[in-house]
């Protein structure tokens, strides 16, 4: 576990750069496929790039209660999710040379959610307050699921190092991979919520509370929040792939990255399909749903501690 | 029992109960009753008609009749749906003291209508339990009543303070106020609900609407002529315009005794059902959009589009058909157009079946709509809810069957009802009604025979006659009341859109519900604010607590542009 600074910094930069470049493309795929399901033509694949450029080029309007906090929250939200991207293997093995561990990853993921809370709180409109109360309820009931998945990986690997976890360690070594399979199911069924899409886009719910925490945002700040949301989709897909379907990532260049991005694309398509065929849940219904998932994943923890 | 006998029996019952308080009765024998009563007894008579005789409240109208009789006039309209009778209870009030007992405590549905004639005609409903302004903005001076005959249609009082903020009621303890509107992505039209929210639960609300007033009734009474008005009536609403156009001409025909050729009645029926089709398709789409199911929203609109094209082919317009004149219709349906229409209906029926299957098979949509925004039969009765909202609560009222007009008496169709009273039931009712509408149009195309489409109206229409007309709009009963007048125009024309009554039920429907359910509960009555707001000559721009005045906005715009 030696730290090789030039290599690790280069690895991180590569991950961040790739994610920044690729995330809008996946958003474009999502929009295009959604449109086709809805019998529409849909925007061109490059549209999300144009959208971001347009927003970034607009006048920065300070319309909330605490402008400084709003600026900070919008920058931090993108930064946090990019930091997550640094730790996730994207076909090159995890960068940061083993320095990254599951606990840090867990905190960074929570930080992404906290940025939304900060942003909404600083904006101070009634709708954003309703939005952040929903976001908070979602976070409290949802984040433990990912934490448990990481924990099960750590139990089997007997270390918190992400290098050891992101090779499918949730399935354990020898013995029946019961806990890993259970968590695979749980994460698959709650993945939509982690990336904040229908039926779990409750905190933003445009037709109810007008985008909730984002209602006061426009221009560059909105661009950063939107960018963070797009990157989140890719980063969480990367985490999912690393945790549950890492196979093929040791094949080296060029097959490892190709296989990785193919898996991410498959996940994005699944997200699109679910989003296009569901109605939005109410927050109480969603929390009940997550609570059920939590119960199941606690069983998985017990199984993991028994070596299964 | 024939309609004429039913009318006579009702009148006898009223005479037996109230004796001399029933001053005059007019029974034309066509399902209309006009009973002039002693103003002092109006409250008790209305209570009796509403509670004991089981009538449905329709609307109350105030009119300034001073130039003709020196008096003010109030009409409380009720419907005996089972007998096919529409009944106006009239009270004449002295010109110098226009006041009468409020009926809103015994007929809660009259709440808005009484406040409206208080605002606009200056007739005081004495003892009203919530005598707050409804239509006029708070900055409008006391004592100026726009619908009085001595006020010109283009009058703006000098002391009108356009920018005065609304005075809102205090929120109850422990509740925060969530402003819903005046502009909100799901409303599409200005209306303002102040929701009192505790956590995620809505505990109550205050409504301020009437923000986009266009003075339509005043214009009809002072500027336009009988045959201009259908074109403007059509513009009351962007969705159910044909309904208002038909309802208006029927009210005139009812008052003046004009007989409409049979073919014209079929054409009116076909266009009314076309309108119901595109309205219901639009609504189901919007309901899906509100709960976040955008795929069905898009599919509904795709399926709806051929209806719009067909309407354009038939009328020259996707909407706003310019159909009616007094005594008939303006254009005919050619045989080849009828055949094309049949083709469109066949495709629609097949595709709509697919949507209905998708919606009824979706547990997700049901989770969001079952038990949400419930209106029971009691609320339907008390607030006078109409249309799919009433039918979803098991109250089988439908003007097409109960008070047949146009060609509805000659076609067979089913009145769809459900029992749940919730948003889900309203979705089911509307989805099934689409098939009934398709059936009605097909029957009309089958039964129509060639003939004239416009009756000759050579003489001037008689003056001072009253006409009532109820038309089943996609959202429920649209009711028009009309008094014929001098100068080729009506003396008084009152439009009551279905949303006028249905909106009054919303506070009860959303109380103790989740905030997230507010939009779909409100959406489920298919609110049409332009219909409801139809009638004033002023423009209100305040409404939010932190208000940008019009001058501020104009100044900002100029600064930004420079």
């Amino acid at each position: 576990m030696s730290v090789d600074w030039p290599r690790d910094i280069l690895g991180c930069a590569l991950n961040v750069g790739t994610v920044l470049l690729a995330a809008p493309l996946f958003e474009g795929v999502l929009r295009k496929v959604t449109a086709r399901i809805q019998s529409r033509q849909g925007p061109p694949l490059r549209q999300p790039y144009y959208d971001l450029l347009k927003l970034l080029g607009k006048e920065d309007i300070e319309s909330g209660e605490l402008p400084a906090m709003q600026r900070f929250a919008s920058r931090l939200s993108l930064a946090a999710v990019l930091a997550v991207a640094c730790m996730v293997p994207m076909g090159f093995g995890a960068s940061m040379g083993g320095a990254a561990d599951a606990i840090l990853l867990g905190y960074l993921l929570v930080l992404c959610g906290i940025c939304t809370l900060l942003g909404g709180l600083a904006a101070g409109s009634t709708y954003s307050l309703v939005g952040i109360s929903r976001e908070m309820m979602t976070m409290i009931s949802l984040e433990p699921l990912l934490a448990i998945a990481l924990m099960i990986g750590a139990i089997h690997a007997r270390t918190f190092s992400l290098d050891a976890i992101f090779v499918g360690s949730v399935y354990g070594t020898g013995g029946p991979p019961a806990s890993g399979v259970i968590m695979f199911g749980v994460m698959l069924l709650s993945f939509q919520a982690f990336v904040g899409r229908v039926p779990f886009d409750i905190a933003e719910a445009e037709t109810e509370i007008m985008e909730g925490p984002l209602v006061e945002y426009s221009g560059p700040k909105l661009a950063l929040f939107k960018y963070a949301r797009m990157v989140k989709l890719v980063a969480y897909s990367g985490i999912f792939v690393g945790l549950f379907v890492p196979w093929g990532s040791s094949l080296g260049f060029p097959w490892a990255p190709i296989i990785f991005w193919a898996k991410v694309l498959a996940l994005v398509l699944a997200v699109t399909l679910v989003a296009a065929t569901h109605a939005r849940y109410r927050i109480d219904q969603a929390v009940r749903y997550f609570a059920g998932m939590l119960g199941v994943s606690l069983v998985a923890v017990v199984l993991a501690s028994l070596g299964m | 029992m024939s309609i004429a006998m039913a009318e006579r029996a009702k009148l006898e019952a009223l005479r037996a109960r109230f004796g001399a308080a029933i001053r005059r009765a007019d029974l034309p024998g066509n399902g209309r009753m006009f009973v002039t009563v002693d103003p002092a007894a109006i409250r008790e008579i209305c209570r009796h008609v509403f509670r004991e005789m089981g009538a449905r409240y329709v609307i109350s109208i105030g009119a300034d009749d001073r130039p003709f009789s020196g008096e003010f006039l109030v009409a409380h309209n009720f419907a005996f749906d089972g007998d096919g009778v529409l009944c106006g209870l009239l009270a004449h009030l002295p010109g110098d003291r226009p006041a009468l007992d409020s009926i809103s405590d015994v007929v809660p549905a009259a709440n808005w209508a009484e406040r409206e004639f208080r605002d606009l005609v200056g007739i005081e409903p004495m003892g009203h339990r919530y005598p707050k302004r409804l239509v006029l903005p708070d900055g409008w001076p006391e004592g100026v009543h726009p619908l009085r005959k001595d006020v010109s249609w283009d009058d703006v009082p000098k002391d009108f303070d356009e920018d005065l903020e609304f005075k809102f009621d205090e929120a109850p303890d422990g509740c925060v106020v969530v402003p819903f509107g005046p502009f909100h992505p799901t409303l599409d039209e200005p209306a303002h609900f102040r929701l009192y929210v505790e956590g995620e639960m809505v505990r109550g609300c205050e409504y301020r609407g009437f923000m986009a007033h266009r003075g339509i009734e005043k214009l009809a009474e002072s500027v336009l002529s009988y045959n201009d008005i259908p074109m403007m009536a059509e513009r009351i609403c962007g969705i159910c315009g044909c309904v208002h156009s038909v309802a208006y001409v029927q009210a005139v025909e009812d008052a003046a005794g004009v007989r409409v050729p049979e073919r014209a009645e079929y054409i009116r029926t076909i266009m009314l059902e076309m309108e119901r089709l595109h309205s219901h398709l639009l609504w189901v789409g919007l309901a899906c959009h509100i709960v976040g199911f955008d795929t069905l929203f898009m599919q509904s609109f795709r399926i709806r589009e051929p209806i719009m094209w067909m309407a354009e082919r038939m009328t020259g317009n996707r909407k706003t058909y310019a159909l009616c004149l007094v005594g008939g219709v303006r254009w005919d349906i050619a045989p080849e157009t009828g055949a094309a229409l049949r083709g469109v209906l066949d495709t629609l029926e097949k595709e709509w079946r697919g949507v209905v299957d998708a919606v009824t098979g979706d547990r997700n949509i049901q989770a969001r709509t079952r038990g949400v925004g419930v209106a029971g039969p009691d609320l339907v009765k008390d607030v006078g809810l109409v249309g799919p909202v009433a039918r979803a609560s098991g109250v089988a009222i439908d003007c097409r069957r109960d008070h047949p007009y146009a060609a509805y008496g000659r076609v067979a169709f089913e009145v769809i009802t459900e029992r749940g009273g919730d948003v889900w039931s309203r979705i089911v009712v509307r989805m099934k009604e689409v098939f009934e509408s398709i059936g009605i149009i097909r029957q009309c195309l089958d039964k129509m025979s060639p003939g004239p489409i416009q009756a000759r109206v050579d003489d001037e229409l008689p003056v001072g006659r009253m006409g009532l007309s109820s038309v089943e709009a996609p959202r429920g009963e649209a009711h028009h009341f009309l008094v014929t007048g001098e100068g080729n125009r009506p003396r008084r024309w009152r439009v009551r859109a279905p949303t006028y009554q249905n909106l009054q039920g919303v506070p009860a429907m959303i109380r103790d519900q989740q905030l997230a359910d507010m939009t779909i509960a409100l959406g489920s009555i298919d609110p049409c604010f332009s219909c409801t707001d139809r009638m004033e000559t002023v423009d209100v721009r305040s409404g939010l607590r932190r208000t940008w005045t019009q001058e501020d906005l104009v100044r900002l715009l100029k600064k930004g542009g420079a």
Side-chain angles (χ1 to χ4, degrees):
Chain A
M1 299 260 174
S2 65
V3 177
D4 175 359
W5 283 106
R7 196 204 68 189
D8 291 341
I9 289 175
L10 198 69
C12 286
L14 195 66
N15 267 11
V16 168
T18 319
V19 161
L20 280 178
L21 276 178
L25 183 67
F26 283 106
E27 178 77 16
V29 170
L30 190 146
R31 285 192 203 171
K32 192 80 181 174
V33 175
T34 305
R36 284 303 157 90
I37 295 173
Q38 297 176 346
S39 307
R40 285 189 292 124
Q41 184 70 33
L45 282 178
R46 342 179 257 289
Q47 189 63 42
Y49 295 99
Y50 295 151
D51 289 356
L52 288 177
L53 285 175
K54 178 194 74 182
L55 285 175
L56 283 170
K58 281 192 160 188
E59 185 192 354
D60 196 3
I61 295 169
E62 310 279 15
S63 71
E65 301 271 317
L66 297 166
M69 181 82 93
Q70 286 174 284
R71 280 196 297 275
F72 177 68
S74 60
R75 283 155 183 68
L76 189 63
S77 76
L78 185 58
V81 70
L82 286 177
V84 169
C86 289
M87 302 186 178
V88 179
M90 297 193 171
F92 304 108
S95 49
M96 300 190 71
D101 68 13
I103 295 178
L104 179 58
L105 182 67
Y107 273 114
L108 279 174
L109 290 173
V110 172
L111 189 59
C112 298
I114 290 192
C115 290
T116 314
L117 298 189
L118 265 186
L121 200 60
S125 111
T126 320
Y127 289 101
S128 49
L129 295 180
V130 174
I132 65 171
S133 100
R134 291 178 178 192
E135 177 77 26
M136 198 140 38
M137 280 155 89
T138 311
M139 265 173 68
I140 290 169
S141 48
L142 187 64
E143 293 296 335
L145 296 180
L146 187 60
I148 286 176
L150 288 168
M151 197 157 87
I152 288 175
I155 290 173
H156 286 304
R158 299 192 181 285
T159 167
F160 278 116
S161 168
L162 285 179
D163 283 353
I165 292 173
F166 280 155
V167 290
S169 76
V170 285
Y171 300 115
T173 46
S179 55
V181 171
I182 291 176
M183 282 321 288
F184 179 65
V186 166
M187 289 300 288
L188 204 59
L189 289 175
S190 48
F191 193 72
Q192 214 75 12
F194 281 107
V195 294
R197 309 284 168 156
V198 177
F200 295 109
D201 64 332
I202 306 163
E204 289 172 9
E206 187 243 341
T207 48
E208 293 164 15
I209 52 170
M210 310 200 267
E211 306 263 297
L214 297 182
V215 67
E216 288 293 334
Y217 288 87
S218 61
K221 287 196 288 274
L222 184 63
L224 293 182
F225 276 119
K226 288 217 180 271
Y227 214 163
R229 188 174 142 89
M230 293 175 196
V231 173
K232 218 171 160 183
L233 180 60
V234 175
Y236 271 99
S237 300
I239 293 174
F240 187 87
V241 169
L243 268 174
F244 299 107
V245 283
W247 301 289
S249 56
S250 53
L251 290 180
F253 195 78
W255 288 111
I258 290 177
I259 290 173
F260 172 80
W261 290 109
K263 288 180 205 160
V264 171
L265 181 65
L267 268 172
V268 170
L269 289 179
V271 166
T272 311
L273 207 63
V274 174
T277 52
H278 280 78
R280 186 185 307 112
Y281 281 118
R282 251 185 355 233
I283 186 69
D284 57 322
Q285 292 166 339
V287 169
R288 268 202 300 279
Y289 180 86
F290 299 144
M293 293 286 158
L294 195 59
V296 174
S297 54
L298 287 176
V299 174
V301 175
V302 175
L303 288 175
S305 64
L306 296 175
M308 285 194 275
Chain B
M1 190 158 54
S2 78
I3 288 178
M5 282 166 67
E7 287 175 3
R8 204 163 300 283
K10 306 273 176 224
L11 184 62
E12 290 312 316
L14 281 176
R15 283 228 163 95
R17 177 81 161 69
F18 296 102
I22 308 295
R23 287 184 178 165
R24 225 193 96 183
D26 190 4
L27 308 183
N30 56 356
R32 307 288 186 261
M33 283 174 80
F34 299 99
V35 183
T36 310
V37 304
D38 180 1
I42 191 102
R43 185 169 164 278
E44 188 49 30
I45 294 174
C46 286
R47 193 198 61 77
H48 183 76
V49 167
F50 185 64
R51 295 290 177 192
E52 260 109 275
M53 296 172 77
R56 176 171 60 83
Y57 174 79
V58 180
I59 190 62
S60 302
I61 301 113
D64 177 10
D65 209 41
R66 287 174 302 167
F68 320 104
S69 65
E71 292 173 317
F72 282 95
L73 179 71
V74 165
H76 293 297
N77 288 2
F78 291 87
F80 296 98
D81 290 315
D83 303 307
V85 175
L86 292 172
C87 165
L89 297 175
L90 312 171
H92 293 275
L93 310 172
D96 54 345
R97 210 181 61 81
L100 85 172
D101 284 337
S102 165
I103 64 165
S104 63
D105 53 341
V106 288
V107 186
N111 177 0
W112 278 21
E114 288 191 334
R115 284 159 67 189
E116 182 172 320
F117 67 57
R118 176 176 173 269
D119 280 9
L120 299 181
V121 195
I123 298 172
E124 185 65 34
M126 291 182 300
H128 194 289
R129 62 204 161 103
Y130 188 67
K132 199 167 175 170
R133 276 190 179 179
L134 177 75
V135 181
L136 291 178
D138 286 0
W140 189 267
E142 282 292 334
V144 182
H145 303 288
L147 276 185
R148 286 195 175 180
K149 293 292 179 193
D150 49 9
V151 176
S152 158
W153 65 275
D154 54 354
D155 243 8
V156 178
K158 285 195 182 57
D159 45 350
F160 172 40
D161 180 1
E162 201 179 358
D163 300 320
L164 192 76
E165 290 182 23
F166 280 137
K167 279 190 276 304
F168 289 112
D169 297 345
E170 282 297 313
D173 281 345
C175 290
V176 271
V177 173
V178 174
F180 189 89
F183 299 99
H184 189 282
T186 48
L187 283 180
D188 307 329
E189 290 175 85
H192 186 42
F193 291 84
R194 281 177 97 237
L195 303 178
Y196 308 138
V197 178
E198 196 179 344
E200 279 260 339
M201 301 297 276
V202 178
R203 298 298 180 201
C205 77
E206 183 184 357
Y207 171 78
R208 282 311 293 251
F210 296 87
M211 296 178 185
H213 314 301
R214 292 166 289 165
I216 283 176
E217 288 173 10
K218 184 75 182 178
L219 285 175
E221 291 168 25
S222 53
V223 179
L224 302 175
S225 68
Y226 279 121
N227 272 338
D228 294 336
I229 297 174
M231 307 310 148
M232 195 177 62
E234 194 160 55
R235 285 161 175 80
I236 289 176
C237 180
I239 296 291
C240 48
C242 189
V243 163
H244 288 296
S245 166
V246 172
Y248 161 77
V249 291
Q250 283 184 174
V252 179
E253 288 154 5
D254 184 45
V258 177
R259 286 188 64 84
V260 181
E262 203 175 289
R263 189 173 174 84
E265 294 194 324
Y266 277 115
I267 294 174
R268 284 181 186 176
T269 309
I270 289 173
M271 292 324 290
L272 287 172
E273 291 308 313
M274 287 283 281
E275 203 166 65
R276 189 180 325 278
L277 283 178
H278 83 68
S279 175
H280 277 9
L281 264 57
L282 175 119
W283 181 84
V284 170
L286 285 182
C288 291
H289 174 61
I290 290 174
V291 295
F293 199 163
D294 281 350
T295 299
L296 271 184
F297 164 57
M298 293 290 173
Q299 295 298 353
S300 288
F301 270 63
R302 181 181 59 76
I303 295 171
R304 173 181 183 256
E305 196 56 21
I307 303 279
M308 310 307 284
W309 291 337
M310 195 63 226
E312 185 173 356
R313 179 163 167 192
M314 295 165 83
T315 74
N317 245 330
R318 291 164 62 86
K319 272 293 310 154
T320 319
Y321 307 139
L323 174 65
C324 289
L325 289 177
V326 173
V329 294
R330 290 181 59 242
W331 41 259
D332 206 342
I333 295 178
E336 58 273 18
T337 318
L341 177 56
R342 280 177 199 275
V344 169
L345 292 179
D346 292 344
T347 322
L348 171 70
E349 191 175 27
K350 205 164 75 247
E351 292 194 307
W352 191 244
R353 188 79 62 192
V355 170
V356 171
D357 289 345
V359 172
T360 42
D362 192 299
R363 301 226 317 277
N364 195 215
I365 291 184
Q366 297 187 33
R368 279 305 304 273
T369 53
R370 273 190 196 272
V372 168
V374 177
D378 289 346
L379 187 70
V380 172
K381 167 86 179 168
D382 281 353
V383 188
L385 303 179
V386 288
V389 182
R391 293 196 283 274
S393 309
V395 181
I397 50 171
D398 189 328
C399 298
R400 294 177 292 175
R401 182 195 63 187
D402 301 335
H403 310 280
Y405 52 93
Y408 285 106
R410 283 166 244 149
V411 293
F413 61 95
E414 201 187 322
V415 174
I416 309 284
T417 55
E418 284 286 318
R419 295 243 149 253
D422 52 7
V423 176
W424 174 248
S425 302
R426 287 167 211 152
I427 294 180
V428 173
V429 165
R430 287 198 176 90
M431 286 194 309
K432 289 186 180 165
E433 283 184 358
V434 167
F435 297 115
E436 297 300 320
S437 292
I438 295 174
I440 291 173
I441 299 181
R442 282 187 183 141
Q443 291 178 53
C444 287
L445 289 171
D446 289 342
K447 293 186 175 174
M448 263 163 80
S449 50
I453 56 166
Q454 173 70 44
R456 284 186 68 94
V457 185
D458 294 330
D459 305 327
E460 264 187 46
L461 299 185
V463 169
R465 302 267 193 89
M466 291 182 192
L468 301 178
S469 159
S470 279
V471 170
E472 189 72 17
R475 296 155 181 72
E477 175 201 44
H479 181 86
H480 286 217
F481 170 93
L482 186 128
V483 186
T484 56
E486 299 75 4
N488 200 26
R489 68 173 64 103
R491 266 183 208 168
R492 180 78 174 98
W493 171 42
R494 171 70 160 92
V495 179
R496 197 227 57 191
T499 305
Y500 195 82
Q501 290 306 127
N502 285 347
L503 255 187
Q504 297 181 54
V506 167
M509 287 184 213
I510 61 171
R511 189 173 302 135
D512 298 326
Q513 300 254 335
Q514 296 253 349
L515 180 60
D517 292 333
M518 159 72 190
T519 39
I520 186 65
L522 177 62
S524 72
I525 70 164
D526 200 1
C528 187
F529 295 102
S530 61
C531 284
T532 310
D533 291 0
R534 78 231 160 267
M535 55 170 332
E536 243 311 279
T537 43
V538 289
D539 195 345
V540 184
R541 291 186 180 80
S542 58
L544 269 175
R545 276 195 141 177
R546 197 165 56 188
T547 308
W548 289 97
T549 64
Q550 188 192 359
E551 285 87 81
D552 287 341
L553 288 175
V554 169
R555 208 170 51 236
L556 267 178
L557 280 172
K558 282 183 179 153
K559 203 172 74 183

